[in-house]
Amino acid sequence: MPMKFNEPAGANPIDRQKVIGKPFDRIEGPLKVTGRAPYAYERHDAVENPAVGFVVGAGIAKGRIKSIDVTAARKAPGVLAVVTAETAGKLGLGKYNIAKLLGGPEIDHYHQAIAVVVAESFEQARAAAGLLRVDYAAEKGVFDLRGTKDTSVKPKPSGGDEPDSAKGDFAGAFEAAAVKLDETYTTPDHAHAMMEPHASMASWDGNKVTVWTSNQMIDWGVSDLAKTLGLPKENVRLVSPYVGGGFGGKLFLRADAVLAALGAKAAGRPVKVALPRPLVFNNTTHRPATVQRVRIGAGRDGKITAIGHETWSGNLPNGKPENAIDQTRLLYAGANRMTATRLALLNLPEGNAMRAPGEAPGLMALEIAMDEMAGKLGMDPVEFRILNDTQVDPENPERKFSQRRLSECFRIGSGRFGWSARKQPGETRDGRWLVGMGVATAFRGNLVMKSAARARLAADGRITVETDMTDIGTGTYTIIAQTTAEMLGVPLTQIDVKLGDSAFPVSAGSGGQWGANSATSGVYACCVKLREAIARQAGLDPLKADFADGQVTADGKSVALAGVANARDIVVEDGIEFGDLDKRYAQSTFGAHFVEIGVDHATGESRIRRMLAVCAAGRILNPKSARSQVIGAMTMGAGAALMEELAVDKERGFFVNHDLAGYEVPVHADIPHQEVVFLDETDPYSSPMKAKGVGELGICGVAAAVANAIYNATGVRVRDYPITLDKLLSAMPEVG
Amino acid sequence: MAGPRDWEISRRDLMVGAGAGAVLAATPKLAEAGASLASETRMPTLASVSFTVNGEGRRLEVDTRTTLLDALRERLQLTGTKKGCDHGQCGACTVIVDGHRINSCLTLAVMHEGSEVTTIEGLGQPENLHPMQAAFVKHDGFQCGYCTPGQICSAVAVLDEIKAGIPSHVTVELDGELLPTSDEIRERMSGNICRCGAYSNIVDAMAEVAGRRA
């Protein structure tokens, strides 16, 4: 029976914070910095001499394949097999997939995989892939979101939420408001652009397949690979101990895993497949572009009386909308409210989750609107936000936030950043630079997911924890080891953590910033059970047992952990399930982002000078790795503000800049020293760890803070991301 | 420039030669076993190449299309060097060749006859970290770890470049002493993308190592 988390956590061993809450270096760090951590494509240790599969992507966005001539490819040197939809046999569609991972004859999007060519070597597979002759019948598609406003529809409810929400009389209150804002903002399609391309290696043993892969959610991947291949789930094993970045792009089964498995079956030997970088952008998922209308009405006192947020985005058939209105339902007070979500049919590649789906693009719009509104009111943007802070769900005032210290984030941040030195737009000058400061709210829901683990105490006192949880750079290895060490009262160095293998108990996985809190809670539950088993084995009363300094103690008797498991290892398995505390209380994470920017008065070039984030996110399990999550998210937010945009070819229907030179992400020179402050807090409503997540909170609001800083520097308001210099130049102030 | 035909010897000749105990010469030897040059039926052109990797002499017979990156990763199984883009856009494949950092995906293995290659594995080992590797751990200069070997190889070479007085785009005084300032570090490291966004911590790690040297 898993542990049920139905009521707020009381005092527990985690509160000791001897190991938890300390800034330990990552325990897998030495492996990563010496190149010894093996990623999916590198498992020479697991499979000797695999063949190599090269993926071919569709050259049209919509239509069908009339024929594929594979003759030349098959005859090419070293080629072992060519797999297409024609030869692959019947394939299912994964629960989490929208478009087929091996396309044909129908093509759903550009660069949808249509073949894998398997050869003895990468060079041979790549050369042979170039010999495929594909004859397409292209059809017209819809590729431009801005032309779809009239044809977009109200989507099905997703995640239990209706697409529209309403409270009070928005229209009347907005009409009557003394000060009003009604503006439209646009955000472009974004790419995850993680550094490790999607990669998998597959090996069959009869009708069982093992896939070494790079995936955030092991159990989803197992289920969907089994469904796609028509296998029982128990015949599929996924192994993913190291993931070279995901950001949502590796939440789901993708073509690399399916084609490695199909290629291996066809070739009769293990096969590895990595998506070539230029294929990643159109073959996999992306954060969809949005058009967002925000309306805010307030009294002259600055109190919001009406707030409305509408968003539309596009996707393939059966795709979901980008829920850019999510935060607006909970973030600011105001009696009269509305949100609406609309979805257009687009024949672009599949839109799906990227770091803070919903809130990341939603706050890009809302938090510029708040800055504009503060300007209209003649109020300081920090004071305007504090004035409209709320301790209850504004749509349902009986429902309180479990904990909400947003205003404190702003006050602390203002002081540390020197916010009071901010002047009116265009008034601060440093040589050729116009200098400005901007601020925005960070807000992201606190999601929880059930999670399990197995723990083993060996005779020498070492404890091994196994769970299919992944570490995608988030610090999972370390915080799970810290949780275990805290619970068992042993040093961190006594703990071994094994992750990312479907042979281990099913965890929360890495997504939605639920990973750290949920997975360590599962480990907590497992450790509670291990403590009981150890106490009993040691002949002590489990209810009285205390674990500290490598010993278990009860009724004045102490026994060293090393030696308790003398005959055989003590092994337990348990997990946690969450009740409805996240329904009874609004649970979120909060922060305030401060940015200082310089804009070249002549060229319009923007350079970020300083960044500060102040975050309130429950107990911080490891301040070092948590801070890294936040600075990394701030960096991605800076990219969204200043440079990131998948450029759509609106005739042929694909993302044109599909590599790392065309899709610009921040580099060293773009990012200054970054500061992060975590409020010292615990949230017992969240989990026994009393923690929340920070990895997505960190990106929420950053882009708007940058946009607002550019406005403060120049007086130019840009509502169309990214804020590139061409959008500033024509409106830049005349300065000498 | 000699065309392939000028270099041509047959694969069988090469095998016979090798079987007879012939020692491969220092220059790459090429073998073309295909009857036709039409790409559809062309057999891989093979060549032998010898270089030093992390102080150890290695000799390989490679498909001439093989990049130095794939020679390291696939043939020598030194997978610490990463393939992020295979196009010289991300820097994950950075290694140090004859004292200079290069993108190993942008150079063919056969171009490195006699080269001395240092990869991340050669800089240090988990129980014996190079000072830069130790500083990356201490300052958390990485998250997912995939760009990290390239960042570290670049970082080591960047500090050497600054020490050698090689100017960069942001160098203000060309005749003064060149210092490892944050601006110099950021400018020179900008060919190494970290999507996890560890830049601020990487600069801290490098500054610490630079300070220790000074």
Side-chain angles (χ1 to χ4, degrees), chain A residues 266-308:
Chain A
R269 63 186 260 200
V271 166
K272 59 180 180 179
V273 171
L275 294 187
R277 178 60 67 177
L279 209 67
V280 171
F281 294 77
N282 286 284
N283 176 272
T284 69
T285 61
H286 65 279
R287 188 204 299 285
T290 66
V291 178
Q292 303 178 48
R293 181 190 187 193
V294 179
R295 283 175 287 174
I296 304 174
R300 298 222 176 271
D301 60 357
K303 288 203 169 157
I304 293 173
T305 53
I307 186 162

Side-chain angles (χ1 to χ4, degrees), chain A residues 546-562:
Chain A
D546 180 52
F547 289 74
D549 304 323
Q551 298 191 318
V552 52
T553 304
D555 298 320
K557 184 185 163 197
S558 289
V559 179
L561 258 49

Side-chain angles (χ1 to χ4, degrees), chain A residues 513-578:
Chain A
Q513 81 170 9
W514 64 60
N517 180 40
S518 301
T520 55
S521 294
V523 170
Y524 167 92
C526 185
C527 287
V528 167
K529 200 164 175 178
L530 182 62
R531 286 163 57 111
E532 290 168 7
I534 291 171
R536 269 196 299 275
Q537 180 77 19
L540 300 174
D541 181 350
L543 293 176
K544 294 181 187 164
D546 180 52
F547 289 74
D549 304 323
Q551 298 191 318
V552 52
T553 304
D555 298 320
K557 184 185 163 197
S558 289
V559 179
L561 258 49
V564 173
N566 46 13
R568 58 174 179 190
D569 293 357
I570 299 175
V571 184
V572 303
E573 190 174 322
D574 206 354
I576 194 158
E577 289 181 4
F578 294 88

Side-chain angles (χ1 to χ4, degrees), chain B residues 73-191:
Chain B
R73 282 170 61 82
E74 305 300 328
R75 299 296 302 281
L76 300 179
Q77 303 195 356
L78 291 169
T79 55
T81 307
K82 302 304 181 193
K83 185 184 279 194
C85 72
D86 220 8
H87 286 70
Q89 299 170 342
C90 77
C93 66
T94 305
V95 297
I96 301 168
V97 176
D98 299 329
H100 301 286
R101 56 188 172 135
I102 62 167
N103 287 332
S104 61
C105 74
L106 287 186
T107 189
L108 297 170
V110 294
M111 293 159 67
H112 290 282
E113 184 63 34
S115 290
E116 285 190 24
V117 181
T118 302
T119 70
I120 192 71
E121 290 93 343
L123 284 181
Q125 298 76 44
E127 53 294 332
N128 178 32
L129 297 177
H130 182 280
M132 190 65 79
Q133 292 169 323
F136 267 61
V137 173
K138 178 182 165 190
H139 292 276
D140 214 29
F142 61 93
Q143 293 180 38
C144 80
Y146 201 76
C147 75
T148 311
Q151 298 278 357
I152 291 173
C153 286
S154 231
V156 168
V158 158
L159 295 189
D160 286 345
E161 287 162 21
I162 293 173
K163 205 173 171 189
I166 300 167
S168 81
H169 174 66
V170 299
T171 305
V172 180
E173 299 285 343
L174 291 181
D175 52 357
E177 191 194 354
L178 197 49
L179 296 172
T181 62
S182 295
D183 279 351
E184 285 285 356
I185 288 173
R186 287 190 190 106
E187 168 64 22
R188 291 163 192 266
M189 290 296 291
S190 284

